[in-house]
Amino acid sequence: MTLARVEDVQTRLGRPIADDEAPQVDALLRDVEAMIRNRIRDLDDRALDPVFLELAVMVEANAVVRVLRNPEGLRTWTVAVDDGSVTKTRDQATSAGGLYVTDDEWALLDPPDVPTAFSSPIRYEPGWHGAPLTRWGRP
């Protein structure tokens, strides 16, 4: 049983899931959850927190919605009727058509450890003041 359900995908997709689509949606949910479990080994423990659970459901459902909205991975297509034509272009970020979790979604599920890349830990190193001066200061 996955954290997200077919109903969660249906709500985010904005249309009912057809009976013949339901097995595919269920399989895609299992696939994306397996991808998440591969990176976040303690997913079940984290899912006990209701806030994390909502985020995980959102990420799983949105990954499946991306596949359902563009299963062929089309980026640009043109429809021509008589003398007129209409060309539509999808955003490159959503045109892949594959099942994936975005970097932003990974950051929601597994935020970086503190300190971040923009901070440096302060620690005392005994004897640093006694080291000889180098061209760039003390080592």
Side-chain angles (χ1 to χ4, degrees), residues 125 127-129 131-134 136-139:
E125 292 185 22
W128 72 270
H129 63 284
L133 281 176
T134 66
W136 301 276
R138 288 190 165 88

Side-chain angles (χ1 to χ4, degrees), residues 12-75:
R12 285 167 176 82
L13 186 59
R15 68 168 174 81
I17 300 293
D19 291 339
D20 60 338
E21 278 182 311
Q24 178 189 16
V25 169
D26 191 47
L28 289 169
L29 284 171
R30 287 193 311 271
D31 291 347
V32 74
E33 186 160 314
M35 292 166 44
I36 292 170
R37 284 183 187 282
N38 188 44
R39 187 180 287 192
I40 302 174
R41 302 289 179 164
D42 60 342
L43 184 65
D44 291 326
D45 294 335
R46 291 187 190 190
L48 296 175
D49 176 17
V51 173
F52 180 86
L53 178 61
E54 284 299 315
L55 288 173
V57 167
M58 177 190 72
V59 168
E60 288 182 10
N62 285 342
V64 173
V65 165
R66 283 191 289 272
V67 173
L68 295 178
R69 285 194 176 143
N70 192 16
E72 297 167 353
L74 298 177
R75 173 135 166 75

Side-chain angles (χ1 to χ4, degrees), residues 55-125:
L55 288 173
V57 167
M58 177 190 72
V59 168
E60 288 182 10
N62 285 342
V64 173
V65 165
R66 283 191 289 272
V67 173
L68 295 178
R69 285 194 176 143
N70 192 16
E72 297 167 353
L74 298 177
R75 173 135 166 75
T76 304
W77 64 96
T78 302
V79 177
V81 178
D82 295 330
D83 292 338
S85 67
V86 175
T87 300
K88 294 184 179 183
T89 304
R90 281 195 193 269
D91 179 20
Q92 187 173 359
T94 61
S95 66
L99 185 66
Y100 61 93
V101 177
T102 67
D103 290 339
D104 291 338
E105 290 169 338
W106 280 121
L108 288 173
L109 293 177
D110 197 20
D113 292 333
V114 177
T116 65
F118 299 106
S119 66
S120 59
I122 298 173
R123 65 176 181 263
Y124 172 72
E125 292 185 22

